[in-house]
Amino acid sequence: MAAPNDWTPSSWKSKPIVQDVVYEDQDHVDRVLNKLNRLPPMVSPQEIEKLREQLKDVALGKAFLLQGGDCAELFDYCSQDPIEAKLKVLLQMSLVLTWGARTPVVRVARMAGQYAKPRSKPTEMYQGEEILSFRGDNVNGFDPKDRKADPERLLGAYFHSAATLNYVRALLDSGFADLHAPSNWNLNHVRSDAVRHEYQEIVSRLTDAFDYMQVVDAGSTQNAALRSVDFFVAHESLLLDYESSLTRQLTSPSSKTKKWYNTGAHFLWIGDRTRQPDGAHIEYIRGIENPVGVKVGPTTEPEKLVELLDKINPSKAIGKVTLITRFGADKVDKHLPAHIEAVRNSGHIPVWVCDPMHGNTKNASGGVKTRHFVDIIQELSQTLRVHKECGSKLNGVHFELTGDSVTECVGGSMDLKDTDLSTNYQTYCDPRLNCHQSLDVAFLIAKYYQKERISSDFPSL
Ligand code: PEP
Ligand code: CO
């Protein structure tokens, strides 16, 4: 699929834009964008097409998609320990899911570029003064004295993304994935003996499967699902100046023709606030070859969703678009059936993913934002059930998570309470699942699929 004739990497500039960033010095912005435009691609058309192929399998139910990472990645997270921790938890989760769902898992991290955030308000109050909101490290600093939009940060985003990706690639090339074989897992954080026992049982069975794979795979170059370490990166396509300066016309490895690729990430998504069918963000995303996501919320009308799909994917390529639903635990029943029905009638075959995070944000008693593990599991289980009842299938999950032991979400097997949140509350944006809560979710999904072979109840924690 070549880009439409009326599209260029900057055709979005003629469309209405929301969440735009206003800089004081446009010459400075232009100098930065020219520089970005000359910097080398971070990802290749080969990798992008590989992910497109894998997502086609996901859309057809032959593989499962795991997306996860920080809400707002900071330049500071571009460091050895946080990168290793995040990679480790995503690999562990994918191993559990591969085993549970009995399908390969495609891993797409919110990482190496998730630096820009949409905000509900452009300003906020700080010590009685109105200041600009933090828009992500790509735009301004979290420090209240550093809120002016700084174009140099766009270059900072490129270099931090490149350094992160470089280390991820080095780790995977050096056998990091093998180090996270289940035999090394520690389940000491699990409070309930019964739950720990259940998890241990899964880990033992995984270890067995893993050992078996090592034996049958020894000396063979064939990549079995459990051993494959493909790893892709994604971020929200929000700062269109940045995205279009990394958009290049390159030769497609499959068709040998020139196509437009966003070379700053394998996968890009459009957020719930910027998905207007006639707006700038949808205009930009419709011309690139990369697989793309669209967040779908309670305010998405089913007809608008089909209009969006027709616009982004007129050839109806299977798995080109991932629909990431995020309604809130109590709204899935109300909205999802009509979305599934409209999409089915349109003939599009997207990847259906559940983001059980963004519809379930609450204020904790201490005033910080939190999410309750039970709500997250509730949204997931409702979504699995509704897809099934509608003759559809949930193809993947999308989480905000970190590899560290933060205390931002309530609940999980370590049973974090509201009053524990202040122990290690780190996020500069939305609350994330910590490494233990992330594994909890993976275990529960694995158990769901295990039980589904017998009955359709979602297991409780
Ligand atoms: C996000 O994924 O960080 C986000 C802002 O989500 P949404 O657009 O669904 O609100
Ligand atoms: Co978020």
Side-chain angles (χ1 to χ4, degrees):
M1 181 192 84
N5 290 335
D6 57 347
W7 184 91
T8 69
S10 55
S11 54
W12 58 268
K13 290 190 178 171
S14 63
K15 305 282 177 184
I17 188 160
V18 291
Q19 299 280 336
D20 201 16
V21 176
V22 180
Y23 294 97
E24 271 179 12
D25 181 353
Q26 190 54 40
D27 285 347
H28 190 173
V29 177
D30 292 342
R31 279 198 305 279
V32 163
L33 296 179
N34 281 334
K35 170 75 181 164
L36 279 172
N37 205 244
R38 281 203 316 278
L39 288 165
M42 280 183 264
V43 303
S44 68
Q46 279 82 353
E47 292 170 333
I48 292 168
E49 288 199 359
K50 189 175 193 184
L51 179 58
R52 281 274 305 255
E53 279 303 306
Q54 294 190 5
L55 288 175
K56 190 171 166 186
D57 278 351
V58 173
L60 294 172
K62 294 191 260 181
F64 193 78
L65 175 61
L66 169 65
Q67 298 185 315
D70 297 291
C71 178
E73 197 181 5
L74 295 190
F75 292 167
D76 258 2
Y77 301 166
C78 181
S79 191
Q80 180 172 352
D81 291 347
I83 294 173
E84 287 183 4
K86 205 168 306 148
L87 191 56
K88 175 178 166 180
V89 76
L90 285 166
L91 290 171
Q92 288 182 324
M93 289 173 82
S94 68
L95 210 53
V96 173
L97 293 173
T98 301
W99 177 84
R102 298 287 193 271
T103 59
V105 170
V106 178
R107 311 170 189 96
V108 178
R110 293 173 62 114
M111 198 175 182
Q114 177 50 20
Y115 297 120
K117 296 308 300 173
R119 301 317 301 249
S120 43
K121 292 194 227 92
T123 59
E124 64 185 356
M125 293 309 286
Y126 175 74
Q127 296 184 345
E129 225 186 290
E130 189 175 12
I131 60 168
L132 293 168
S133 301
F134 174 53
R135 304 277 300 268
D137 264 357
N138 208 337
V139 178
N140 57 3
F142 184 75
D143 185 331
K145 294 192 285 300
D146 194 17
R147 293 289 169 91
K148 196 170 86 179
D150 175 3
E152 287 299 316
R153 286 178 170 274
L154 297 169
L155 278 175
Y158 175 91
F159 288 114
H160 286 93
S161 300
T164 303
L165 193 53
N166 181 57
Y167 190 48
V168 168
R169 291 187 194 278
L171 283 171
L172 293 176
D173 276 353
S174 314
F176 185 80
D178 277 351
L179 286 180
H180 297 97
S183 45
N184 301 332
W185 296 5
N186 175 341
L187 297 173
N188 291 344
H189 65 278
V190 182
R191 292 269 171 99
S192 145
D193 288 343
V195 173
R196 190 175 333 99
H197 185 77
E198 255 184 296
Y199 286 4
Q200 197 56 60
E201 179 76 26
I202 296 180
V203 169
S204 306
R205 294 176 65 177
L206 255 171
T207 308
D208 241 23
F210 203 80
D211 289 349
Y212 177 70
M213 297 310 303
Q214 308 270 30
V215 174
V216 293
D217 220 23
S220 144
T221 49
Q222 296 224 314
N223 228 345
L226 277 175
R227 309 218 27 208
S228 125
V229 284
D230 284 342
F231 192 87
F232 302 98
V233 294
H235 63 257
E236 178 170 348
S237 173
L238 186 65
L239 294 190
L240 297 181
D241 272 334
Y242 179 81
E243 302 305 342
S244 49
S245 64
L246 294 177
T247 304
R248 310 283 159 78
Q249 202 171 27
L250 300 167
T251 303
S252 153
S254 57
S255 71
K256 309 292 180 213
T257 56
K258 293 270 188 191
K259 292 180 175 175
W260 289 101
Y261 295 89
N262 181 310
T263 61
H266 300 105
F267 179 104
L268 294 124
W269 78 88
I270 299 292
D272 197 44
R273 296 173 177 83
T274 50
R275 56 169 162 71
Q276 301 74 19
D278 295 317
H281 290 83
I282 293 298
E283 173 60 22
Y284 168 71
I285 209 110
R286 81 184 172 102
I288 57 172
E289 275 307 302
N290 308 55
V292 298
V294 179
K295 292 290 194 93
V296 177
T299 59
T300 313
E301 288 155 21
E303 318 77 66
K304 283 266 188 271
L305 186 56
V306 173
E307 194 184 327
L308 270 179
L309 287 170
D310 287 342
K311 204 154 210 167
I312 301 173
N313 184 22
S315 67
K316 301 194 170 144
I318 299 173
K320 156 80 187 177
V321 183
T322 294
L323 296 178
I324 308 165
T325 63
R326 30 86 77 225
F327 301 113
D330 54 349
K331 299 195 189 75
V332 177
D333 266 317
K334 182 160 173 226
H335 299 288
L336 185 55
H339 285 130
I340 293 174
E341 166 92 4
V343 171
R344 178 184 292 124
N345 292 339
S346 74
H348 285 278
I349 304 182
V351 171
W352 285 103
V353 163
C354 172
D355 162 2
M357 312 299 289
H358 286 90
N360 296 307
T361 312
K362 292 181 171 158
N363 281 327
S365 49
V368 294
K369 278 201 278 186
T370 191
R371 287 163 174 155
H372 291 242
F373 193 81
V374 286
D375 295 339
I376 292 167
I377 295 305
Q378 172 80 350
E379 176 144 3
L380 258 178
S381 62
Q382 302 289 332
T383 305
L384 279 159
R385 177 182 53 74
V386 169
H387 272 287
K388 202 167 172 187
E389 282 170 8
C390 295
S392 173
K393 191 168 171 179
L394 181 67
N395 307 119
V397 284
H398 183 121
F399 299 108
E400 285 189 338
L401 57 82
T402 169
D404 305 319
S405 288
V406 299
T407 53
E408 297 168 7
C409 293
V410 173
S413 63
M414 61 196 304
D415 201 16
L416 277 185
K417 304 271 188 276
D418 232 47
T419 45
D420 296 324
L421 293 180
S422 60
T423 316
N424 193 19
Y425 194 93
Q426 295 283 339
T427 185
Y428 289 86
C429 205
D430 290 337
R432 304 159 294 179
L433 296 171
N434 64 26
C435 50
H436 306 307
Q437 292 166 326
S438 302
L439 264 185
D440 287 338
V441 177
F443 279 127
L444 286 179
I445 299 171
K447 273 173 65 185
Y448 167 82
Y449 283 114
Q450 216 185 355
K451 279 200 178 172
E452 202 201 19
R453 292 183 264 274
I454 308 161
S455 81
S456 61
D457 297 335
F458 200 80
S460 58
L461 192 67

